[in-house]
């Protein structure tokens, strides 16, 4: 009788008729669009990247007026101010502004993140002069109608109440609160909470704009079918009379709330699953170890084939997806691993996350893991900057974080240069198992399992973040 285990199966036929599979070619060279810097007499900085492939231009104003500059007790003011910019100018009410933008076939938007506020315009090059004047009015001469400011405020409050009914949004809010020291701006929502937003009014918005939206605190990024000289001329004509020096920026307290590991259970009795956040205070964007951290995180939880996702999704079937990330900011943003799992595997899933963080620190990554991560990061980089809006966004980040002029041209080489030793060194230095805060939003019935996990003392909270046990 033949032994089936020793039988030889015919080799699968090659789709190339027996020819060897071709090896991947070397990465094609990539060069970020050339750009030039200029400064207007009023202090307005200009960064222009001519790109004449399509007759489209994007203009972006980057203002040092992000959420980090919110006054204490007025959290959410930066976000509200930025959103209110497009609700009318001194010469056009909200309806007329919208109609003018539509007539021009343009798009105008405004918003704020932690580090800056943004006003953006994308338009056909042939409409740029008229659209630029409109953009300048939105940026420097908004009307802030009281009715519209109040509407935006109420929309934000409604969003807050809605988020608190959703475990995912609640987990994000509570994670920040438990990670950062009491009083830290980073410990409260970027767009403010119900109490702070309720206290804001039209006068607060107008005052914040007058203090923060000034040429000395603004960089104008222009990318697309335009010359540097034409971009400067348009900026001088529309914004040359704008005045104001840059105000001082408050220092963000990015200290951790605790130096020891703790478990925080935010109870939601009707939750069929648990939202998990595991992390600690990370590192500022400007760090010499940035590329090692990026590759390390890609292997840990930044890609579909990452260790965390393969463990929780593929090996244990605990979740549909899990990932990790560093939130890059001027000060130290958070690092976290996040997922959502069924309630009965909450403790087990947390245990696997802790194991993967420990393993990343304890042993070098394999050559295949390193190759997968660096090849992906290298390969997708050029396609991120195929539109004028993407180019303008990239140059905005260059401005905010003070990155080197050749940052985009050297990015791929820097990624490919990361070694397994670099990855492990980044993990040892920037992953801090003893400082991890484990946040669970879910059914209170998971508490006994969390205590049995032995990951740290367990504290129970209500949906408002008040300790109840």
């Amino acid at each position: 009788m033949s032994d089936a285990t020793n039988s030889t199966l015919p080799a699968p036929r090659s789709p190339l008729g027996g020819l060897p599979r071709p090896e991947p070619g070397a990465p094609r060279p990539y060069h970020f669009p050339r750009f030039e810097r200029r400064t207007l007499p009023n202090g307005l900085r200009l960064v222009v990247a001519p790109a004449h492939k399509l007759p489209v231009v994007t203009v972006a104003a980057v203002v040092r007026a992000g959420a980090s500059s919110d006054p204490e007790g007025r959290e959410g003011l930066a976000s509200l101010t930025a959103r209110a910019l497009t609700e009318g100018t001194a010469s056009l009410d909200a309806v007329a502004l919208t109609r003018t933008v539509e007539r021009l076939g343009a798009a105008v938007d405004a918003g704020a993140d932690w580090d800056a506020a943004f006003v953006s315009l994308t338009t056909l090059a042939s409409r740029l002069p008229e659209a630029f004047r409109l953009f300048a009015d939105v940026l420097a001469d908004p009307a802030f109608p009281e009715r519209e400011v109040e509407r935006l405020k109420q929309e934000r409050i409604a969003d807050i109440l809605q988020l608190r009914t959703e475990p995912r949004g609640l987990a994000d809010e509570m994670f920040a609160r438990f990670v950062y020291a009491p009083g830290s701006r980073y410990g409260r929502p970027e767009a403010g909470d119900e109490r702070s937003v309720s206290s804001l009014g039209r006068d607060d918005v107008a005052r914040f704009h007058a203090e923060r939206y000034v040429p000395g605190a603004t960089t104008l990024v222009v990318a697309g079918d335009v010359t540097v000289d034409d971009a400067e001329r348009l900026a001088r004509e529309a914004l040359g009379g704008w005045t104001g020096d840059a105000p001082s920026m408050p220092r963000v307290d990015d200290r951790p709330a605790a130096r020891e590991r703790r478990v925080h259970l935010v109870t939601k009795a009707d939750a069929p699953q648990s939202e998990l956040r595991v992390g600690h205070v990370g590192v500022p964007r400007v760090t010499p170890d940035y590329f090692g951290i990026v590759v390390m995180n890609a292997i840990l939880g930044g890609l579909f084939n990452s260790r965390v996702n393969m463990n929780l999704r593929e090996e244990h079937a605990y979740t549909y997806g899990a990932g990790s990330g560093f939130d890059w900011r001027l000060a130290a943003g958070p690092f976290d691993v996040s997922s959502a799992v069924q309630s009965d595997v909450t403790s087990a899933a947390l245990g696997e996350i802790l194991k993967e963080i420990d393993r990343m620190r304890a042993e070098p990554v394999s050559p295949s893991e390193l190759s997968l991560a660096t090849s992906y990061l290298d390969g997708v980089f050029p396609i991120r900057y195929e539109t004028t809006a993407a180019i303008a966004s990239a140059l905005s980040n260059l401005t905010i974080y003070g990155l080197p002029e050749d940052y985009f041209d050297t990015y791929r080489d820097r990624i490919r240069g990361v070694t397994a030793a670099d990855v492990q060194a980044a993990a040892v230095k920037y992953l801090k198992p003893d400082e991890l805060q484990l946040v669970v939003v879910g059914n209170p019935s998971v508490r006994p399992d969390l205590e049995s996990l032995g990951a740290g003392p367990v504290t129970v909270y209500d949906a408002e973040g008040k300790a109840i046990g």
Side-chain angles (χ1 to χ4, degrees):
M1 183 180 293
S2 63
D3 186 350
T5 60
N6 292 327
S7 63
T8 301
L9 297 176
R13 297 190 61 174
S14 167
L16 302 176
L19 296 175
R21 186 182 300 274
E23 294 295 323
R28 295 177 63 182
Y30 169 76
H31 297 288
F32 190 79
R34 302 299 87 185
F35 58 91
E36 185 175 329
R37 297 181 184 269
R38 294 185 181 179
T39 303
L40 272 58
N42 62 355
L44 179 66
R45 290 171 297 280
L46 191 64
V47 180
V48 185
H52 302 289
K53 185 177 181 180
L54 294 173
V56 178
V57 180
T58 294
V59 183
V62 184
V63 188
R64 288 195 289 174
S68 297
S69 58
D70 281 337
E72 186 174 356
R74 294 287 189 270
E75 292 82 6
L77 181 55
S79 176
L80 181 61
T81 302
R83 292 181 63 203
L85 290 171
T86 57
E87 297 299 327
T89 69
S91 58
L92 295 173
D93 63 20
V95 174
L97 176 61
T98 299
R99 288 176 177 171
T100 302
V101 171
E102 291 176 349
R103 177 178 60 80
L104 292 170
V108 176
D109 196 14
D113 63 15
W114 283 108
D115 297 321
F118 307 88
V119 184
S120 66
L121 160 74
T122 296
T123 184
L124 291 172
S126 60
R127 300 291 182 89
L128 181 59
E130 185 178 356
F132 199 105
R133 290 192 294 271
L134 186 71
F135 165 86
D137 283 345
V138 170
L139 171 65
D141 200 17
F144 298 129
E146 188 161 359
R147 178 180 176 181
E148 304 303 334
V149 171
E150 183 63 24
R151 175 180 59 81
L152 292 172
K153 187 175 84 169
Q154 294 304 320
E155 287 178 359
R156 170 55 187 161
I157 293 172
D159 288 344
I160 294 168
L161 298 177
Q162 177 65 28
L163 281 172
R164 287 187 178 160
T165 68
E166 300 173 356
R168 178 179 298 180
L170 185 58
D172 291 336
E173 179 179 343
M174 292 300 165
F175 175 74
R177 182 182 302 189
F178 297 138
V179 163
Y180 287 97
S184 169
R185 179 64 188 90
Y186 283 175
R188 303 183 72 175
E190 181 181 293
D193 56 27
E194 186 178 3
R195 179 182 300 177
S196 65
V197 174
S198 296
S199 71
L200 301 177
R202 193 265 176 195
D203 290 345
D204 297 301
V205 169
R207 187 180 308 113
F208 185 84
H209 180 271
E211 293 174 353
R212 296 282 170 185
Y213 284 70
V214 292
T218 303
T219 299
L220 204 61
V221 178
V222 184
D225 190 16
V226 64
T227 67
V228 178
D229 288 340
D230 283 345
E232 182 180 357
R233 176 179 53 79
L234 290 170
R236 284 178 178 271
E237 291 174 354
L239 293 166
W242 193 27
T243 61
D245 296 328
S248 61
M249 293 295 293
R251 180 188 176 279
V252 176
D253 182 0
D254 58 7
R255 294 174 300 160
R259 294 289 185 181
E260 66 276 352
R261 198 154 68 185
R262 296 177 181 175
V263 182
H264 310 269
L265 172 59
V266 181
T267 59
K268 193 166 178 55
D270 58 344
Q273 61 182 16
S274 298
E275 280 285 343
L276 310 181
R277 303 291 184 271
V278 179
H280 50 63
V281 174
V283 62
R285 170 60 183 85
V286 181
T287 170
D289 299 321
Y290 174 77
F291 291 97
I293 296 171
V294 167
V295 176
M296 180 271 291
N297 179 71
I299 296 169
L300 175 64
L303 304 177
F304 180 83
N305 288 331
S306 65
R307 290 182 175 185
V308 168
N309 195 52
M310 290 296 99
N311 184 325
L312 269 63
R313 174 188 164 103
E314 302 299 321
E315 183 177 346
H316 289 97
Y318 289 158
T319 182
Y320 286 112
S324 67
F326 286 80
D327 189 353
W328 299 110
R329 305 175 187 172
L330 281 170
F335 157 77
D336 81 300
V337 178
S338 62
S339 188
V341 302
Q342 291 297 312
S343 297
D344 59 351
V345 298
T346 299
S347 178
L350 287 172
E352 293 303 320
I353 291 172
L354 296 179
K355 287 179 184 177
E356 292 298 349
I357 291 174
D358 287 340
R359 184 162 74 98
M360 183 62 69
R361 289 166 47 90
E363 60 188 46
V365 298
S366 69
S368 60
E369 287 178 307
L370 180 63
S371 176
L372 177 66
T374 56
S375 296
Y376 174 81
L377 294 169
D378 174 9
V380 302
F381 184 76
I383 64 176
R384 293 178 179 173
Y385 308 113
E386 294 186 334
T387 67
T388 57
I391 294 169
S393 178
L395 290 172
S396 297
N397 284 327
L398 193 86
T399 296
I400 294 167
Y401 301 115
L403 302 178
E405 298 284 291
D406 64 349
Y407 172 79
F408 297 106
D409 282 337
T410 61
Y411 178 94
R412 300 171 81 195
D413 289 339
R414 299 289 298 276
I415 286 291
R416 288 194 295 263
V418 173
T419 66
D422 295 330
V423 169
Q424 188 173 13
V428 170
K429 185 174 182 179
Y430 297 106
L431 299 181
K432 304 173 183 177
D434 294 339
E435 296 184 15
L436 290 169
Q437 303 302 300
L438 286 67
V439 178
V440 178
V441 174
N443 197 292
S445 64
V446 304
R447 180 174 184 172
D449 288 342
L450 294 177
E451 292 174 335
S452 299
L453 179 63
V458 179
T459 305
V460 182
Y461 306 83
D462 64 16
E464 302 293 326
K466 298 176 182 177
I468 57 176

